Amino acid sequence: MDSQNRKCFHARRHVILLIILSIVTLFVALSLPDELKISLGLPIILVIRAFWQYKLVYISIGEDFITYRPAAPIRSSISILFKEITSVSYKNNKVIINYINKISNKQYTVKIPLSVMELAEKEKLLSTLHIILKDKEK
C-alpha cells in the first residue's frame, strides 16, 4: 500500500504534559541525597512510555482498511477491511465498529476510545469516518 494514500491519526492528548512531568520527576529523583534516593526506574519508564505514545499511530485509514492500535503497549493492533464492517456508531466519545471476520465468520465489536486524542485530531478522524463509512452508520 502506498503511504501517500494512508491517513494517520495520533493519540497525543496530555502526552506533552506527561513527558514534562516525567522529566521533572527524573531530575527530582536525581537531586535527592543518597540516603533519600528513590528508584530511578519508574521515571525512566514514564519518559520512555510518553515518547512511545507520542510517536504511536493510533488509527490509520487506507484505501480499503482501518487499523486501530490501542494506546496500551500490551494490546495488539486490529485491522479491519471496509467490506467486513457491518455497522458504525458514535457514542460517549467512542467509535464502535461491528464487523464480521471473513476468515472465521464471527462477528466482533471494536470500541475505539477518542478521549486520548486531541480535539482537532478527533474531528479530522470523525469527518474522515463519516465520509468513508456513511452507508454503514447507525
Side-chain angles (χ1 to χ4, degrees):
M1 158 113 353
D2 192 7
S3 63
Q4 293 175 348
N5 296 330
R6 184 177 297 171
K7 294 183 182 181
C8 297
F9 301 93
H10 300 274
R12 293 182 175 164
R13 186 172 184 195
H14 304 299
V15 173
I16 301 297
L17 179 63
L18 180 62
I19 291 172
I20 292 169
L21 288 175
S22 300
I23 292 172
V24 168
T25 305
L26 181 64
F27 284 119
V28 167
L30 288 173
S31 68
L32 291 175
D34 287 340
E35 58 271 0
L36 296 176
K37 284 279 187 201
I38 59 173
S39 174
L40 295 177
L42 183 61
I44 291 171
I45 289 172
L46 288 174
V47 169
I48 292 170
R49 168 74 166 83
F51 280 110
W52 175 81
Q53 185 173 348
Y54 185 80
K55 299 292 278 176
L56 174 72
V57 175
Y58 189 57
I59 297 172
S60 80
I61 300 176
E63 290 181 15
D64 61 347
F65 70 94
I66 182 170
T67 300
Y68 161 62
R69 181 173 182 138
I74 298 172
R75 297 182 57 199
S76 63
S77 63
I78 299 168
S79 291
I80 307 166
L81 295 173
F82 291 150
K83 63 183 178 183
E84 293 179 336
I85 297 175
T86 56
S87 67
V88 177
S89 59
Y90 309 96
K91 296 178 185 172
N92 297 334
N93 212 11
K94 291 182 184 177
V95 175
I96 301 169
I97 300 175
N98 296 308
Y99 69 99
I100 297 175
N101 187 315
K102 297 295 181 187
I103 297 172
S104 65
N105 284 329
K106 291 184 181 179
Q107 184 161 349
Y108 296 98
T109 301
V110 175
K111 296 178 182 176
I112 303 173
L114 301 178
S115 59
V116 296
M117 299 178 76
E118 293 177 339
L119 186 60
E121 193 83 356
K122 181 172 32 173
E123 289 175 0
K124 283 195 289 186
L125 171 67
L126 290 174
S127 65
T128 303
L129 288 176
H130 283 305
I131 293 168
I132 294 172
L133 302 172
K134 62 185 168 208
D135 57 332
K136 298 179 183 191
E137 292 181 352
K138 281 191 196 178

